[in-house]
């Protein structure tokens, strides 16, 4: 059975749908969890539901403060064993209409922030001679998508970056992997009219949307000892919609 007892786990983007499932999963598996996001109200709600976890508000777009943030996390948890980079944004637009700010903001938050979170967490993991990093990407990082040149670029780049980090730290007992979700059920997808949802699910061989738990199960596996010989890889959680 997978257990994260005595393991210190940092989860970014913890207040969203997948983030919630990640917090729930690692709390159930006895990990010492620190959940971060930008919304105090949602963080407080998360803390009430899972009293054992730690919460800390932080905006990962503040690149110059990420090193200090990791120091704070390291102090609170007394170490960082697992980093799960789940936070991200999308600002969709057709390429000819995409504003410079829409491009830069998505790249800065999804890609650059993820790099800095990895960089400063890796310093802590190297001291412990142990670490697990999982970066949440997206099916569109492999396939592209209409109106998502910025988002697709950021997610595709995370995959390449993760492979480079995996090579650099493989000998240090640190693994770096990705989980690439397809269409996952969320509050947003719940509001989609049934006719459009039917068209969407028709493109998925399993004929259903995924769940946050489908994603968190794969993340937990990659962070566990069962995956100690897996690094630089991407697990696709998409119901067969894309097969690498």
């Amino acid at each position: 059975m997978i257990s994260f007892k005595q393991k210190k786990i940092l989860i970014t983007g913890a207040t969203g749908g997948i983030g919630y499932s990640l917090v729930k999963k690692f709390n159930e598996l006895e990990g010492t969890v620190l959940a971060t996001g930008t919304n105090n109200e949602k963080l407080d709600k998360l803390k009430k539901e899972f009293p054992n976890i730690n919460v800390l508000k932080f905006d990962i777009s503040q690149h110059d403060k990420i090193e200090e943030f990791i120091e704070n996390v390291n102090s609170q948890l007394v170490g960082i064993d697992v980093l799960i980079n789940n936070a991200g944004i999308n600002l969709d637009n057709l390429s000819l209409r995409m504003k410079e700010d829409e491009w830069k903001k998505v790249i800065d938050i999804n890609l650059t922030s993820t790099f800095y979170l990895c960089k400063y967490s890796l310093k802590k993991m190297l001291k412990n001679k142990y670490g697990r990093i999982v970066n949440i990407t997206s099916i569109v990082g492999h396939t592209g998508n209409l109106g998502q040149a910025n988002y697709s670029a950021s997610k595709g780049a995370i995959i390449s970056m993760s492979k480079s980090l995996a090579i650099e730290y493989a000998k240090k007992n640190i693994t770096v992997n990705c989980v690439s979700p397809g269409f996952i059920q969320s509050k947003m997808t719940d509001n989609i009219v049934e006719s459009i949802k039917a068209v969407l699910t028709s493109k998925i061989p399993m004929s259903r949307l995924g769940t946050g738990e489908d994603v968190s199960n794969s993340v937990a596996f990659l962070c566990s000892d069962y995956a100690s010989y897996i690094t630089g890889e991407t697990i696709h959680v998409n119901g067969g919609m894309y097969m690498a």
Side-chain angles (χ1 to χ4, degrees):
M1 179 181 174
I2 294 176
S3 173
F4 290 95
K5 200 168 186 178
Q6 298 183 333
K7 290 289 188 290
K8 290 63 177 279
I9 300 151
L10 169 60
I11 301 172
T12 73
T15 58
I18 291 176
Y20 170 86
S21 295
L22 289 166
V23 170
K24 183 174 185 290
K25 177 62 64 178
F26 281 89
N27 185 63
E28 289 173 348
L29 296 175
E30 302 182 286
T32 302
V33 173
L34 190 146
T36 185
T38 58
N39 188 306
N40 272 327
E41 185 178 341
K42 290 181 179 180
L43 287 171
D44 290 342
K45 185 178 179 180
L46 206 59
K47 176 69 174 176
K48 286 179 182 178
E49 186 168 353
F50 307 108
N52 293 334
I53 72 168
N54 305 273
V55 296
L56 183 61
K57 181 182 178 182
F58 183 67
D59 181 355
I60 65 168
S61 69
Q62 298 178 306
H63 296 159
D64 59 333
K65 295 183 180 179
I66 290 178
E67 183 174 14
E68 181 183 356
F69 168 70
I70 293 297
E71 290 294 339
N72 290 339
V73 172
N74 188 68
S75 296
Q76 282 197 36
L77 299 183
V78 194
I80 301 174
D81 298 305
V82 176
L83 168 65
I84 303 168
N85 283 309
N86 176 60
I89 64 165
N90 63 290
L91 297 171
D92 299 346
N93 212 339
L94 294 175
S95 56
L96 291 180
R97 298 175 184 170
M98 188 171 290
K99 300 179 179 66
E100 183 178 359
D101 181 63
E102 290 172 332
W103 174 269
K104 286 185 175 180
K105 192 169 184 179
V106 169
I107 297 297
D108 282 349
I109 292 177
N110 293 2
L111 176 60
T112 307
S113 296
T114 295
F115 170 73
Y116 283 125
L117 286 160
C118 289
K119 175 181 177 178
Y120 294 117
S121 296
L122 280 163
K123 288 185 177 182
K124 304 303 177 186
M125 293 173 177
L126 284 169
K127 289 182 179 179
N128 298 333
K129 299 179 180 179
Y130 176 91
R132 298 286 182 267
I133 296 175
V134 175
N135 296 319
I136 306 299
T137 60
S138 169
I139 186 174
V140 303
H142 305 268
T143 64
N145 198 30
L146 178 71
Q148 290 193 312
N150 50 2
Y151 186 76
S152 299
S154 70
K155 292 300 185 177
I158 285 172
I159 296 163
S160 300
M161 179 190 73
S162 298
K163 290 179 180 180
S164 295
L165 295 178
I167 293 169
E168 289 181 12
Y169 299 100
K171 292 181 180 178
K172 304 297 183 181
N173 197 27
I174 297 171
T175 65
V176 185
N177 293 290
C178 295
V179 169
S180 184
F183 289 102
I184 304 300
Q185 187 175 347
S186 64
K187 289 181 180 179
M188 184 176 68
T189 58
D190 288 342
N191 293 327
I192 297 175
V193 296
E194 289 302 318
S195 59
I196 296 176
K197 192 180 292 186
V199 172
L200 183 64
T201 55
S202 71
K203 298 177 181 179
I204 304 171
M206 286 190 173
S207 297
R208 69 171 179 87
L209 300 182
T211 66
E213 188 172 16
D214 290 325
V215 178
S216 63
N217 283 339
S218 295
V219 174
F221 166 70
L222 287 173
C223 293
S224 74
D225 291 338
Y226 291 113
S228 61
Y229 198 55
I230 299 173
T231 195
E233 291 297 329
T234 298
I235 291 184
H236 297 271
V237 184
N238 58 45
M241 191 174 183
Y242 170 80
M243 301 183 188

